[in-house]
Amino acid sequence: MSVAKKDYKRITTKTLIEMKENGEKISMLTAYDYTMAKIVDSSGVDVILVGDSASNVMAGHETTLPITLDQMIYHASSVIRAVQRALVVVDLPFGSYQSDPKEALRSAIRIMKESGGHAVKLEGGSEIKDSIKRILHAGIPVMGHLGLTPQSIYKFGTYTVRAKEDAEAEKLMEDAKMLERIGCFAIVLEKIPAALAEKVAKSVSIPVIGIGAGNGVDGQVLVLHDMIGMTHEFSPRFLRRYMNLYEDMTTAISQYVTDVKAVDFPNETEQY
């Protein structure tokens, strides 16, 4: 059943909790640059994630691991300059928070001060509890991320569905409750069984955003470049392509090349 949508002029962490309480689903997409962020924000998306997936879609790396803190700050700064309504969450990249809570805090402070981001996101549960608490104690909002955590891909060895076994599912549930208890404002659940994701969402009072986690959660997130079909090699079950921009762009660019070579562009009306 659809729920009446409240007209929020600006999305905050408090807004998201209110949306969950009111039964309104939360929309979340990635963006990494000014132009795309402006389009996403003006389209009414609630949360923009400056994801470390920029490592894949912007820089062409195989994993999210190579992207640096400086690069994340650059992308986040570009996004912030475009956004007027959405909450902007910035991923802390691999190596910037896992081993040392003090380093985690320094990384989060740099993102907040140098990019103007509104919150940070960290992958993991009890293993990084101290890092999350240190960041939260400094007054920086934190979004958690459980399930498939791409920064740990070499540990998992595969991008397959996580938490299918009872022990891992139980730990995920415990981690979700821990993240809520220590003060995270939301949690992303990636690529886990839909029934488990719905159970987690009902067990915590903070919003749970899913990607490949079914529709029983409080909202959804996708990588923008996948959703609009700019990328075409990546086709997981959870991805719905709302456009085929790869085909549209290659067709348009090919036509431009043809017109230039045929001296059809520019024509008389397109010159001074």
Side-chain angles (χ1 to χ4, degrees):
M1 184 177 70
S2 63
V3 175
K5 183 178 178 183
K6 183 176 176 180
D7 184 20
Y8 293 104
K9 300 300 182 185
R10 187 84 197 210
I11 305 297
T12 67
T13 56
K14 184 179 179 181
T15 306
L16 299 184
I17 293 172
E18 182 179 320
M19 290 172 74
K20 172 164 180 158
E21 291 172 348
N22 293 338
E24 180 181 343
K25 298 295 186 180
I26 298 163
S27 61
M28 181 169 165
L29 279 174
T30 63
Y32 318 101
D33 65 83
Y34 176 87
T35 303
M36 295 291 260
K38 200 168 186 66
I39 295 170
V40 172
D41 187 53
S42 64
S43 300
V45 166
D46 301 311
V47 183
I48 293 177
L49 173 65
V50 184
D52 57 3
S53 47
S55 179
N56 309 106
V57 299
M58 301 299 286
H61 293 296
E62 184 180 3
T63 71
T64 61
L65 274 64
I67 200 164
T68 67
L69 184 60
D70 285 339
Q71 290 168 333
M72 288 301 302
I73 290 169
Y74 166 80
H75 287 295
S77 300
S78 302
V79 168
I80 281 290
R81 285 190 284 271
V83 170
Q84 295 184 342
R85 177 182 178 273
L87 179 77
V88 178
V89 180
V90 185
D91 271 340
L92 281 180
F94 177 73
S96 67
Y97 64 92
Q98 286 92 342
S99 62
D100 180 4
K102 291 182 180 179
E103 180 66 22
L105 178 58
R106 285 192 290 269
S107 300
I109 288 173
R110 282 200 61 201
I111 282 188
M112 300 297 282
K113 286 178 69 70
E114 296 178 37
S115 78
H118 306 143
V120 296
K121 181 168 75 65
L122 288 73
E123 294 182 7
S126 57
E127 306 85 357
I128 59 164
K129 178 181 178 180
D130 291 339
S131 290
I132 294 173
K133 288 175 69 175
R134 183 67 67 106
I135 294 169
L136 287 167
H137 287 164
I140 299 172
V142 173
M143 176 180 280
H145 184 146
L146 300 172
L148 177 64
T149 47
Q151 290 180 12
S152 302
I153 186 56
Y154 289 126
K155 172 186 174 183
F156 294 144
T158 176
Y159 286 102
T160 191
V161 177
R162 305 303 311 173
K164 291 190 292 184
E165 304 298 327
D166 290 346
E168 189 176 353
E170 184 177 341
K171 183 183 185 307
L172 186 144
M173 178 66 77
E174 291 173 356
D175 280 341
K177 291 179 178 178
M178 180 273 294
L179 292 174
E180 176 190 28
R181 188 170 59 252
I182 65 176
C184 290
F185 72 89
I187 303 169
V188 168
L189 293 182
E190 181 169 356
K191 213 168 182 183
I192 69 169
L196 174 61
E198 183 174 6
K199 185 178 178 182
V200 172
K202 290 179 176 177
S203 300
V204 296
S205 61
I206 58 176
V208 172
I209 312 296
I211 177 167
N215 62 12
V217 291
D218 305 303
Q220 301 294 329
V221 59
L222 285 175
V223 171
L224 177 65
H225 290 62
D226 298 335
M227 189 271 283
I228 61 177
M230 286 184 75
T231 56
H232 64 287
E233 305 93 343
F234 181 66
S235 297
R237 182 190 301 183
F238 64 78
L239 173 61
R240 181 183 297 181
R241 296 194 194 280
Y242 285 81
M243 297 178 68
N244 188 352
L245 207 53
Y246 178 86
E247 184 175 305
D248 292 343
M249 289 179 69
T250 53
T251 299
I253 294 167
S254 296
Q255 186 62 54
Y256 166 74
V257 171
T258 298
D259 291 350
V260 169
K261 292 185 180 296
V263 199
D264 182 62
F265 174 81
N267 61 32
E268 290 185 1
T269 65
E270 295 166 329
Q271 55 190 337
Y272 300 97

